[in-house]
Amino acid sequence: MKVELPGSKSITNRALLLAAAADGHSTLHAPLVSDDTVAFRDALTALGARITTDGQDGAWGVGGIGRGPAGGGHIRCADAGTAARFLPPFAAAGTGRYTFDGSAQLRARPLRPLADALRGLGAKVTLAPGGGLPLTVDATGTDGGELSLDGSLSSQYLSGLLLAAPLLRTPLTLRVTGLVSRPYIDLTLALMRHFGADVTGATEDTDGTFTVRPGRYRATALHIEPDASTASYFFAAAAVTGRTVTVPGLGRGSLQGDLRFVDVLRRTGARVDIAEHATTVTGTGPLRGGFTVDMGEISDTFMTLAAIAPLADAPVTVRGIGHARLKESDRIEAVAGNLRALGITAETGPDRITVHPGRVRAAPIACHRDHRIAMAFSVLGLRAPGLTLDDPGCVTKTFPGFHTALRRCFAEHPAYPHEFTAPAAPRAADPGHPEEHGARTTTQRKA
């Protein structure tokens, strides 16, 4: 079956910022519309960009500022980590006083490495006592120079600095150590070049030097490919149900590193075909385990593998994912805790998780307000009836239609006749995230 998926969040938010910083009018075709991208879009509007959302085929039009923002303001980031990490460097390249804030969940995520880097470039930055939001930038424009950066906590600090670098007054050279999630940096660099930046980047797998020269981004058009992280759930669902899933728009030329998740599925026995403009995964029988895999560069998909690992014929170990403890939740412990609640043995270390095969019992899944926890365990629910999600609405962060899409694709499969019950009633809103909604979602056998 063909599964049409929404656009990449990573590409949408980077392209929004680049278009906002460019001279002229850009058009973003097939952008993702979700809590995170809407929050990012609204934040850029508050910073002075002119964005229209009624374009043909859902395209967004962006009238660029052509420089850093001016005038100051209070910028709400909601739950969007990319907004909190990409927009302060952009603001620092402009003028005015800017205060960035977000939900309680986003306030708990660290920002000190980014603040220290901006201070190293001469910017005046203040943080909350805990080292996170609210963050205030008193901007008078920023010079470049040479800067060392520890990239072991998150690649987003580096991406934020790179995206703003062409707007600085002098060249910026960043020397990075311990870089995690390198494919996201390659994505950032590719999009910067698409918008006209003069950037050179290291070719090493993990560490290296990046130099960006001053210049102006130019307005352009961009078609945003489907989200590869989201595709991981549908590819994994194919593997565990014995079905075939094809995602058009994700092929050999994809900019997204998370498409490499299908290489991990190959190790479980799934058949994978990556064509020029589409990727297809077919489940071939019981999942094979008995392997260790480093998913540090594609850590947003490790939960997808860990959630289905109980169905394998031997333990599966994922390593290199220590930085995933600093995401929307401590994702290693969140996954392990849910697996244990399901009766599955899961062992963890600072940067790893080992999942043993076992019989999955019915139990509620604690989503921790983390969209990827909810989506990953929904895939396991195709083979383990009775799983419930305590917060199915959290998927609106990146894919509001996830539950409907998964139900449409798999609920009628004759070998696994499970039904995904849609959220029935709104839950109490989080004061820090008032737009959230949703209730419990259940997987159950049909009568």
Side-chain angles (χ1 to χ4, degrees), residues 76-80 101-108 133 369 430 432-433:
R76 171 122 180 115
C77 301
D79 264 352
D101 204 355
S103 67
Q105 185 186 47
L106 190 58
R107 283 186 171 193
L133 296 178
R369 291 190 65 237
D430 179 345
H433 195 75

Side-chain angles (χ1 to χ4, degrees), residues 18-24 44 47-50 62-70 90 216:
L18 292 166
D23 279 319
L44 281 172
L47 289 168
R50 301 174 305 281
V62 183
I65 304 170
R67 49 172 170 70
F90 178 50
R216 300 180 80 85

Side-chain angles (χ1 to χ4, degrees), residues 157-436:
Y157 304 131
L158 176 56
S159 281
L161 293 165
L162 289 170
L163 290 164
L167 308 177
L168 307 187
R169 289 185 286 252
T170 58
L172 175 65
T173 297
L174 293 163
R175 306 187 189 282
V176 185
T177 58
L179 180 59
V180 296
S181 303
R182 172 63 196 247
Y184 284 100
I185 299 304
D186 294 335
L187 172 63
T188 297
L189 297 175
L191 291 172
M192 289 173 64
R193 293 183 180 111
H194 184 79
F195 280 82
D198 183 1
V199 55
T200 59
T203 57
E204 293 89 347
D205 289 338
T206 53
D207 302 340
T209 300
F210 302 84
T211 299
V212 186
R213 295 170 183 82
R216 300 180 80 85
Y217 286 120
R218 62 170 181 265
T220 187
L222 179 70
H223 185 90
I224 296 169
E225 62 188 56
D227 194 291
S229 306
T230 295
S232 75
Y233 310 114
F234 293 85
F235 290 142
V240 302
T241 62
R243 301 199 70 178
T244 296
V245 164
T246 297
V247 177
L250 279 179
R252 283 190 290 267
S254 173
L255 296 174
Q256 299 171 80
D258 278 4
L259 184 57
R260 286 194 238 162
F261 177 74
V262 298
D263 296 328
V264 180
L265 286 179
R266 273 198 184 102
R267 300 185 67 174
T268 72
R271 187 167 67 249
V272 175
D273 177 35
I274 305 177
E276 185 174 358
H277 299 298
T279 296
T280 300
V281 172
T282 301
T284 60
L287 297 185
R288 294 200 300 261
F291 61 86
T292 297
V293 58
D294 188 329
M295 297 183 73
E297 292 197 339
I298 56 170
S299 63
D300 276 353
T301 65
F302 97 82
M303 292 157 286
T304 317
L305 177 65
I308 64 172
L311 306 176
D313 60 9
V316 172
T317 296
V318 182
R319 61 181 178 84
I321 52 172
H323 56 287
R325 294 184 180 277
L326 301 174
K327 299 282 189 174
E328 283 85 341
S329 64
D330 179 339
R331 286 178 165 169
I332 295 177
E333 293 307 325
V335 169
N338 280 315
L339 289 170
R340 291 168 186 146
L342 297 173
I344 300 301
T345 299
E347 303 157 355
T348 64
D351 76 337
R352 68 168 182 87
I353 184 171
T354 298
V355 182
H356 293 261
R359 184 180 180 88
V360 180
R361 66 188 180 213
I365 298 299
C367 296
H368 300 274
R369 291 190 65 237
D370 190 330
H371 56 131
R372 301 214 180 277
I373 299 294
M375 291 190 274
F377 279 94
S378 292
V379 178
L380 178 60
L382 293 170
R383 290 285 305 274
L387 270 63
T388 59
L389 305 179
D390 70 352
D391 185 12
C394 69
V395 301
T396 61
K397 182 175 173 68
T398 50
F399 188 3
F402 171 78
H403 296 300
T404 299
L406 196 67
R407 179 173 63 248
R408 182 176 62 246
C409 293
F410 294 99
E412 300 305 322
H413 185 251
Y416 307 105
H418 310 314
E419 179 177 307
F420 282 77
T421 303
R427 65 181 173 84
D430 179 345
H433 195 75
E435 69 275 18
E436 278 199 345

Side-chain angles (χ1 to χ4, degrees), residues 50-134:
R50 301 174 305 281
I51 303 175
T52 59
T53 60
D54 55 355
Q56 187 176 6
D57 300 326
W60 289 355
V62 183
I65 304 170
R67 49 172 170 70
H74 188 93
I75 313 301
R76 171 122 180 115
C77 301
D79 264 352
T82 49
R85 289 164 174 175
F86 292 178
L87 297 181
F90 178 50
T95 57
R97 182 181 178 90
Y98 301 89
T99 297
F100 297 86
D101 204 355
S103 67
Q105 185 186 47
L106 190 58
R107 283 186 171 193
R109 297 179 68 176
L111 283 175
R112 193 174 302 281
L114 178 63
D116 289 345
L118 290 173
R119 291 176 185 133
L121 296 176
K124 183 179 179 182
V125 181
T126 57
L127 287 172
L133 296 178

